[in-house]
Amino acid sequence: MQGPQQHGKDPTTLPRFFFEHARDAIMITAPNGAFIDINPAYLNLVGYDKEELMRMQAGALWVQAGGYGRFLKAVQHQGFVRDYESKLRSKAGQEIDVLLTSAWQSDPQGDLIYHTIVRAARAQQQVQKALQTSEALLRIFVENTPASVAMCDRDMRYLAYSRRWVKDYGLPHQDLTGHSHYDVFGNIPDRWKAEHRRCFQGEVIYNEEEP
């Protein structure tokens, strides 16, 4: 087997490659907020040139007074933070909602440095909104379909069901979402439960003659 060096590749250059080409903004800072390194995605996010930022401190971009200090305390206290909410101000003056994922470590001299991934919260919020919209549309579709239809999770708890489902089986007109199908129908035979488990493994089962 040939090692990376035999292909003319230096494995120590890979972290730098990922740092430079990451889509997420990344900053490396000292405890006083001085920038040690910044990747191109961070520059695109805040609108500064690298030379400008290297003369600044990270806290200068925080919208809230003392926000950077509180962020560092959270990292120091926990050793690691994920999706820490904050606001940065771009060079153009725009306020940017961000989620910070950060951890600290000691450099060879024993000084603390902070590695932080900075992600614009707007993109995540848009994804979440799209998922919520899709879920709402699916629920409306299922509720109004003219057939007896129910959707359950892997624990056979109702996620959605049609009005026809409630009518055909004489179910109470209450929200069944989250209730177990096996509790709502207490007389389900074990062979059906076994078939449900087979379906969860990806099998499709038909039986049009089952009463």
Side-chain angles (χ1 to χ4, degrees), residues 146-208:
S148 295
V149 175
M151 297 174 60
C152 298
D153 63 16
R154 293 179 67 88
D155 294 320
M156 290 302 291
R157 298 186 183 278
Y158 286 115
L159 297 173
Y161 51 90
S162 65
R163 295 172 183 171
R164 182 69 178 271
W165 177 269
V166 173
K167 179 180 178 181
D168 283 358
Y169 295 107
L171 301 177
H173 291 279
Q174 65 184 47
D175 188 4
L176 299 176
T177 305
H179 288 264
S180 170
H181 178 67
Y182 298 144
D183 291 338
V184 174
F185 294 91
N187 59 345
I188 293 179
D190 288 340
R191 69 177 185 280
W192 286 12
K193 295 180 180 180
E195 288 179 348
H196 293 158
R197 290 192 292 271
R198 287 164 56 193
C199 289
F200 288 141
Q201 299 301 318
E203 187 174 349
V204 179
I205 299 175
Y206 295 94
N207 189 342
E208 297 181 358

Side-chain angles (χ1 to χ4, degrees), residues 121-139:
R122 184 183 306 163
Q124 183 162 325
Q125 291 169 350
Q126 289 174 340
V127 171
Q128 184 64 28
K129 184 177 180 180
L131 289 173
Q132 292 172 346
T133 300
S134 178
E135 181 180 344
L137 290 173
L138 177 62
R139 189 176 300 276

